[in-house]
Amino acid sequence: MKSISRCLLALFLLSNLLLSSDFTNRLKNYPVYWIGKQRYVSLQTIIKILGVGSWGRIEDRIFIEYQGKILKGSIGTADFYVDDRRVSLDHPIREIEKEVFIPVEPFDQIISTITVSIQQKEPAKPSENPVIAEKEKPTIASKSNPVRDFIILIDPGHGGHDNGAVGNYGLKEKDVNLDISLRLRSYLTGYFKKGSKIIVKMTREDDRFLSLDERVEIAKKEKADIFFCVHTNSSRLNRWNADGFETYYPSRKSEISFASTAQPDESAESETNTEVVFQIVSELNTTSVIEESRILAEIVQEKLAERLICPDRGAKPASFYVLRYTPMVSVLVEVGFICNPNIEANLRDPEVRQAISETLGKAIIQYLKAKQIIE
Ligand SMILES: [Zn+2]
């Protein structure tokens, strides 16, 4: 009797192991992070891998609907619930850079038991998990395909609970970015009119939070030709005198496609530091996309220098997440230093915002003309 139950236990463990490796196998195409001695995976990745239709986050609480069950957890605790049955993740759910991270192996175990019970009920049912999306090919601004719409995707930085930089007198970067972006869209749509093949879209049109991952996903889904990020600068060392505008283009383009063993930097706050948590195996062959991004960044700087009376800090390569992981031409403009009280006052002025927006719009138009995408 004892040996039979031992045998059953061994079988159960084996089936668990096989199913675990199914989740783990699919995880190989996504980044995995070490926090201390525990491997973590982002909630966004879990949602993609499991093909979760419904999920949400309210403050520190998260929920995922999977195979008809409700999984719940809270940031900072290891407690986890499947429907209302309490299980443990052994390690707490973490939040880093607004992204939620869940311990890999304990979560895998929980998912496996759900899959086991489903399979026992319906042995013939095929897996509902989606196949991992095909790798996106890099796209580049080109006149070779005149029929297709040309999509400019404007990405106002930050939003929702993420204020971005905040000025000494309370002006929030997220609001400046959004207003300038909306004005930029109006300027461009006014220029191109209806029926034009140039379509202008936005990652957000209101005060909402979007993770960096989500922004990249939107850019890919919309098949944007230009991904144009609008930010407002801040300096920690020189809060009162920092001045000028700068535009970044990608130093390289990459695709996240491998589980990383890199130690994440938990203190990382800025987008600049995001890259340290990834180990990239496939660098996209995107020399021309990077070159095009550099050209666009330089035109943006040139136009801003003509219009604004403040220092031209230049077009610079950077490895910001949104520049690196979007496969298309992408730039990130920092329109001014909100930490400098004089600039903060200027950035409150609708006329200044309008002038900046029009200048950015003119830069984009000049780029499209130079590339013979428009007449
Ligand atoms: Zn920003």
Side-chain angles (χ1 to χ4, degrees), residues 158 164 173 177 231-232 271 334:
H158 313 278
E173 181 192 347
N177 297 343
H231 282 250
T232 312
E271 289 160 309
E334 298 271 10

Side-chain angles (χ1 to χ4, degrees), residues 44-308:
Q44 291 298 328
T45 298
I46 287 175
I47 286 158
K48 270 182 234 162
I49 288 184
L50 297 180
V52 167
S54 177
W55 66 279
R57 175 178 174 182
I58 302 158
E59 290 169 349
D60 282 353
R61 287 165 291 144
I62 57 157
F63 77 87
I64 305 165
E65 199 182 326
Y66 175 64
Q67 307 273 34
K69 295 194 182 294
I70 304 289
L71 316 184
K72 284 182 286 192
S74 291
I75 293 163
T77 80
D79 289 347
F80 204 72
Y81 295 87
V82 177
D83 285 336
D84 283 321
R85 187 171 57 88
R86 185 166 168 264
V87 287
S88 177
L89 287 170
D90 301 330
H91 303 269
I93 297 175
R94 308 287 291 262
E95 185 183 23
I96 299 169
E97 290 190 359
K98 323 279 188 238
E99 188 71 81
V100 177
F101 290 89
I102 295 177
V104 172
E105 287 78 14
F107 184 78
D108 191 350
Q109 287 296 315
I110 292 167
I111 286 299
S112 303
T113 54
I114 293 172
T115 317
V116 167
S117 62
I118 299 270
Q119 289 195 342
Q120 278 166 350
K121 268 187 243 160
E122 304 162 71
K125 199 179 174 192
S127 164
E128 285 175 8
N129 295 314
V131 178
I132 289 155
E134 252 181 66
K135 284 184 182 176
E136 300 268 343
K137 292 254 158 47
T139 55
I140 184 162
S142 158
K143 59 171 182 172
S144 60
N145 189 359
V147 185
R148 194 176 82 81
D149 285 339
F150 186 96
I151 294 163
I152 299 166
L153 182 62
I154 304 169
D155 178 41
H158 313 278
H161 65 264
D162 173 15
N163 290 328
V166 180
N168 294 291
Y169 297 96
L171 185 63
K172 291 170 186 156
E173 181 192 347
K174 64 171 185 177
D175 298 327
V176 177
N177 297 343
L178 179 60
D179 190 45
I180 288 178
S181 298
L182 289 169
R183 288 170 189 270
L184 170 60
R185 178 176 67 176
S186 301
Y187 181 81
L188 288 173
T189 50
Y191 182 90
F192 293 119
K193 304 283 187 312
K194 276 209 170 82
S196 165
K197 66 169 180 168
I198 311 290
I199 309 290
V200 186
K201 295 188 174 183
M202 314 257 303
T203 53
R204 68 177 179 100
E205 294 172 64
D206 51 22
D207 183 20
R208 73 176 64 197
F209 175 74
L210 286 175
S211 68
L212 301 177
D213 246 1
E214 284 171 313
R215 291 171 201 264
V216 171
E217 281 305 310
I218 294 169
K220 285 179 174 175
K221 207 180 103 216
E222 295 289 354
K223 296 189 164 50
D225 295 279
I226 294 178
F227 186 59
F228 198 93
C229 308
V230 177
H231 282 250
T232 312
N233 229 339
S234 178
S235 165
R236 279 180 207 171
L237 301 172
N238 189 15
R239 263 189 92 71
W240 297 82
N241 300 314
D243 196 8
F245 48 88
E246 56 200 12
T247 306
Y248 292 94
Y249 58 90
S251 52
R252 53 182 161 168
K253 290 277 188 187
S254 308
E255 203 170 4
I256 305 164
S257 57
F258 201 68
S260 164
T261 51
Q263 297 283 332
D265 176 3
E266 284 181 59
S267 65
E269 275 172 15
S270 72
E271 289 160 309
T272 332
N273 294 330
T274 310
E275 62 151 338
V276 300
V277 294
F278 295 111
Q279 181 190 320
I280 308 302
V281 286
S282 73
E283 292 291 327
L284 294 174
N285 180 19
T286 49
T287 320
S288 51
V289 178
I290 292 170
E291 181 59 13
E292 290 298 319
S293 304
R294 187 186 63 75
I295 292 167
L296 175 57
E298 277 174 0
I299 295 174
V300 170
Q301 282 300 114
E302 193 185 299
K303 286 277 159 198
L304 285 173
E306 281 171 20
R307 185 74 185 257
L308 303 181

